[in-house]
């Protein structure tokens, strides 16, 4: 662990002092997220892409599409695989080499949030049942890390998928052939939005930055869909939550989630 | 490589290339220095349709310790392509091509960096290709030099990269992806403009001795043009006062 | 040979040529003196150097630095001093020469995350720089606001004979301890004074290379807040 990332005692003391007054070091209220910006189409050669900035955290996501053989038990559905990687440029402690458990968790939580929300209607991504389906890959690359990678990767993936253009394929002699210059809009059914909260003492903070992440007792990421239903949950951190805290977190994630959903719609407007 | 049959006209009767350029014209290059919050130095470069982000950390501790050198700092470079950077999605694991390019770029930067003053440390250069369109190693090298200067790593000179090549039997400057696929030669060059030394040189294809000479000349000229953009990027970040045009 | 300062240079640019000595952040190629960093050239008494606008902190003997304790062994603390080398503070510096690793517990005095104001005692690059906190105004920091600026901007913040920093302290009633490594501690009783001091320091960091900076800072400090 690089010595630069240990939080200093003055800062930690400040964070706790301010929380006693319901305030945060960067001036936000407990339920306020940092400034969010979503830009789509930043990698024009990919089928879909988005760059999301939440405060100083930044992620670039790219969507690549190609025909695949379906999984044996789901021959009537397309394939969706989401990954996440913390690039070594993103943080002094980010390493190259096989992913650490933190990174594996990030990738799997991102993938689950998108998959379980059923945001893409996979049944519409079949070219020939049991033989050939459309495989959609969304890869997230974290380029700058200032805490809360779960939400930023989730927003980047969602924005890239909503705004992507799927190539059109036709089956010719049992093989999928790409039709040049023709695309289809992705079959989007809902817009999942994740909200990550940290518990520090008895306080619940939305969108913890790196400093707050370093002194949290526990954290939870809750993903809701456009109907306000909960579609994914992940608790992390060394401490626990009480029942009341978990109810409060769910309420916050629905409220904050719907505000962010409006930002997402605005950013991807006009794409699909 | 090597004259694959395509429908693209690499060079028309007016000497204009498939993307509208003349034979001695580089693609549009823009560079911004200091774009990342955490890295000690960084640069974002667009070289034609190539989009590359470079971050530098260091000088910093080396782990494992046995890799450090007690007489000097060491330079480590990683050239890496994101899965969505190329036409067919690329596996995130490093390929042999990326490993070779990482080494070649490191050896292009070594003559420039001065690390004797930082024994037992490492300077890490990470180049991430977000979108690729031919000539990524030259673009990555160009961005890396700017990021190193941004990080305050002492250097004898910047290193600028640009490729020369041959298509339709004509020597051309700055080969793009189409030209690389369908053309006859690709010669990437890395050049220190003030010390006038070439520190990166590779060839893929066939050149007569005369064409080789022409490629070097036109390529070095291309590197000099790219150097002006590197200079501009650093001057913009460090020397502009924001309230007047002359910085 | 005239004195000249303040020309903008980047690595590889020739500053001058002829009968000059190559000093900090330059090297000689033939008779040309060339910059190795981004900065401002400074020619004085036939010596050519470059004042860098980038780069981390390089430990020098007697420098005052603000450090953060990151770990400890049985005999010393390891301290991050915002440099490529971590500093080492021997336990004997705090416990005295009779220090015994059996009876004296290091964490009772300093623990991971604690901030200290220290002086560099021995910075030879073949090993980690040695620190001391026994001295006036040195020791553990219990309160105040920690700020980071680029170490290359510290001289500008201090000013000629301390003029710039004194101007800020007087105008804001704040006490500012400046580490040569770019870390500062600001203590102020009045939160307005604290905010003004922070803003002034941020402005200096942004505009360190601009002429008449002193006037700009003065203006800023004298304007009524709110």
């Amino acid at each position: 662990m690089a010595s630069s990332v240990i939080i200093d005692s003055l800062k930690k003391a400040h964070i706790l002092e301010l929380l006693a007054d319901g305030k945060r070091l960067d001036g936000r209220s407990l339920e306020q997220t940092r400034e969010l910006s979503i830009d789509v189409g930043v990698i024009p050669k990919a089928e879909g892409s988005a760059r999301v900035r939440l405060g100083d955290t930044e992620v670039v996501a790219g969507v690549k599409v190609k025909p695949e053989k379906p999984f044996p038990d789901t021959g009537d559905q397309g394939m969706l695989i989401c990954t996440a990687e913390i690039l070594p440029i993103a943080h002094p402690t980010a390493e190259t080499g096989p992913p650490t458990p933190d990174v594996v968790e990030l990738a799997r939580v991102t993938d689950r949030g998108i998959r379980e929300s059923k945001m893409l209607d996979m049944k519409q991504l079949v070219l020939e049942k049991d033989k050939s389906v459309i495989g959609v890959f969304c890869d997230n690359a974290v380029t700058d890390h200032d805490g809360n990678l779960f939400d930023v990767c989730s927003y980047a993936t969602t924005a890239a998928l909503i705004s992507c253009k799927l190539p059109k394929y036709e089956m010719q002699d049992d093989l999928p052939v790409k039709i040049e210059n023709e695309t289809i809009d992705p079959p989007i059914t809902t817009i999942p939005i994740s909200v990550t909260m940290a518990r520090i003492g008895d306080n619940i903070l939305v969108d913890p930055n790196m400093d707050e992440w370093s002194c949290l007792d526990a954290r939870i990421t809750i993903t809701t869909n456009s109907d306000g239903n909960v579609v994914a949950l992940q608790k992390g951190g060394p401490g626990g939550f009480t029942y009341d805290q978990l109810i409060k977190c769910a309420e916050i994630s629905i409220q904050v989630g719907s505000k962010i959903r409006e930002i997402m719609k605005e950013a991807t407007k006009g794409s699909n | 490589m090597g004259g694959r049959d395509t429908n693209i006209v690499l060079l028309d009767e007016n000497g204009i290339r498939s993307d509208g350029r003349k034979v001695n014209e580089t693609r549009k290059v823009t560079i911004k220095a200091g774009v990342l919050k955490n890295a000690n130095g960084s640069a974002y470069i667009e070289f034609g349709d190539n989009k590359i982000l470079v971050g530098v950390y260091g000088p910093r501790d080396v782990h494992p310790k046995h890799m450090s050198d007690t007489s000097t700092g060491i330079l480590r470079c990683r050239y890496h392509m994101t899965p969505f950077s190329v036409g067919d999605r690329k596996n995130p694991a490093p390929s042999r091509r990326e490993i070779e390019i990482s080494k070649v770029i490191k050896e292009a930067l070594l003559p420039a960096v001065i690390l004797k003053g930082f024994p037992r440390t490492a300077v890490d250069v990470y180049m991430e290709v977000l979108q690729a369109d031919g000539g990524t190693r030259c673009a990555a090298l160009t961005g890396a030099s700017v990021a190193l200067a941004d990080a305050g790593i002492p250097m004898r000179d910047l290193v600028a990269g640009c490729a020369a090549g041959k298509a339709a039997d004509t020597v051309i400057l700055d080969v793009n992806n189409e030209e690389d696929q369908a053309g006859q030669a690709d010669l990437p060059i890395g050049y220190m403009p003030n010390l006038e030394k070439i520190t990166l040189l590779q060839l893929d294809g066939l050149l007569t001795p005369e064409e080789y000479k022409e490629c070097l000349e036109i390529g070095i000229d291309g590197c000099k043009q790219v150097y002006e953009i590197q200079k501009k990027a650093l001057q913009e970040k460090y020397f502009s006062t924001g309230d007047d045009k002359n910085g | 040979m005239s004195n000249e300062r303040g020309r903008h240079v980047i690595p590889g640019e020739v500053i001058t040529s002829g009968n000059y000595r190559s000093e900090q952040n330059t090297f000689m190629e033939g008779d040309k003196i060339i910059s190795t960093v981004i900065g401002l050239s400074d020619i004085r008494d036939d010596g050519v150097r470059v004042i860098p606008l980038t780069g981390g902190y390089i430990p020098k003997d007697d420098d005052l630095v603000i450090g953060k304790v990151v770990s400890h062994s049985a005999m010393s603390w390891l301290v991050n001093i915002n440099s490529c080398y971590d500093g080492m503070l021997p336990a004997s510096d705090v416990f005295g020469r009779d220090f015994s690793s059996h009876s004296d517990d290091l964490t009772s005095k300093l623990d991971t995350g604690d901030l200290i104001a220290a002086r560099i005692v021995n910075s030879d690059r073949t090993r980690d720089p040695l620190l001391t906190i026994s001295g006036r105004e040195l020791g553990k920091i219990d309160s105040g606001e920690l700020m980071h600026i680029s170490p290359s901007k510290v001289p500008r913040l201090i000013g000629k004979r301390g003029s710039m920093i004194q101007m800020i302290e007087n105008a804001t009633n704040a006490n500012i301890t400046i580490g040569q490594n770019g870390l500062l501690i600001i203590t102020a009783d009045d939160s307005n004074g604290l905010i003004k001091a922070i803003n002034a320091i941020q402005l200096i960091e942004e505009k360190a290379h601009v002429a008449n900076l002193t006037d700009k800072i003065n203006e800023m400090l004298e304007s009524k807040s709110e």
Side-chain angles (χ1 to χ4, degrees), chain B residues 8 72 75 78 104 128 130 137 149 168 173 197 204 213 223 232 234 244:
Chain B
I8 302 159
T72 179
L75 181 68
R78 189 182 98 130
V104 165
E128 297 291 340
L130 302 176
R137 77 195 67 191
L173 178 61
K197 285 210 166 59
D204 198 12
K213 196 157 161 261
C223 290
K232 203 168 112 188
L234 292 173
D244 74 42

Side-chain angles (χ1 to χ4, degrees), chain A residues 88-89, chain B residues 52-55 76-81 98 101-102 105-106 109 125-130 136-137 139-145:
Chain A
I89 52 177
Chain B
I52 301 178
L53 189 52
V54 185
R76 298 191 291 205
C77 292
R78 189 182 98 130
Y79 163 99
H80 175 253
M81 303 182 92
E98 287 165 298
I101 294 178
S102 301
I105 292 180
K106 173 179 152 180
L109 293 169
V125 180
Y126 300 115
M127 297 156 280
E128 297 291 340
V129 179
L130 302 176
T136 54
R137 77 195 67 191
L141 170 60
T142 301
S145 302

Side-chain angles (χ1 to χ4, degrees), chain A residues 84 96 132 144 152 155 202 251:
Chain A
T96 56
S132 185
D144 224 344
V152 190
Y155 304 159
D202 294 320
E251 282 164 12

Side-chain angles (χ1 to χ4, degrees), chain A residues 27-105:
Chain A
R28 285 187 282 158
S29 72
L30 297 192
E31 299 190 7
Q32 202 181 341
T33 65
R34 290 169 285 177
E35 196 179 323
L36 173 63
S37 78
I38 303 177
D39 294 300
V40 298
V42 292
I43 309 287
K45 284 174 112 193
E47 279 73 68
S49 59
R51 179 188 57 218
V52 176
R53 285 195 180 108
L54 184 57
D56 285 323
T57 297
E58 183 184 77
V59 172
V60 177
V63 172
K64 295 299 297 177
V65 174
K66 76 188 234 269
E68 294 276 354
K69 274 190 63 123
F71 293 125
D73 49 345
T74 51
D76 61 340
Q77 293 179 37
M79 250 198 226
L80 171 64
I81 297 183
C82 301
T83 74
E85 208 188 348
I86 303 180
L87 298 180
I89 52 177
H91 197 261
T93 58
E95 283 163 11
T96 56
T100 58
D102 278 343
V103 178
V104 172
E105 186 195 15

Side-chain angles (χ1 to χ4, degrees), chain A residues 195-209:
Chain A
V195 177
T196 299
M197 291 150 279
R199 176 179 74 73
I200 299 181
D202 294 320
N203 305 285
I204 307 286
L205 289 64
V206 171
D207 181 27
N209 62 23

Side-chain angles (χ1 to χ4, degrees), chain B residues 75-94:
Chain B
L75 181 68
R76 298 191 291 205
C77 292
R78 189 182 98 130
Y79 163 99
H80 175 253
M81 303 182 92
T82 54
F84 45 80
S85 61
V86 281
D88 286 332
R89 177 180 177 266
K90 187 197 157 284
N91 193 301

Side-chain angles (χ1 to χ4, degrees), chain C residues 44-113:
Chain C
R44 202 184 299 215
D45 301 329
D46 303 343
V48 183
R49 65 177 181 138
V50 175
I51 301 163
L53 289 175
T54 59
Y57 169 64
I58 306 206
K60 274 188 347 278
D61 283 359
D62 285 335
D63 273 358
L64 174 70
V65 294
I66 309 282
K68 176 176 68 183
V69 176
V70 294
S71 72
H72 64 91
S73 67
M75 308 279 282
S76 62
W77 292 274
L78 195 64
V79 182
N80 176 294
I81 51 172
N82 193 33
S83 168
C84 53
Y85 303 109
D86 283 335
M88 208 200 38
L89 178 65
S92 52
D93 188 81
V94 174
F95 288 100
R97 244 167 321 157
D98 306 324
F99 162 70
S100 150
S101 56
H102 298 292
S103 50
D104 298 314
D105 174 21
L106 265 72
T107 59
S108 62
K109 295 281 186 189
L110 286 175
D111 205 353
T112 298

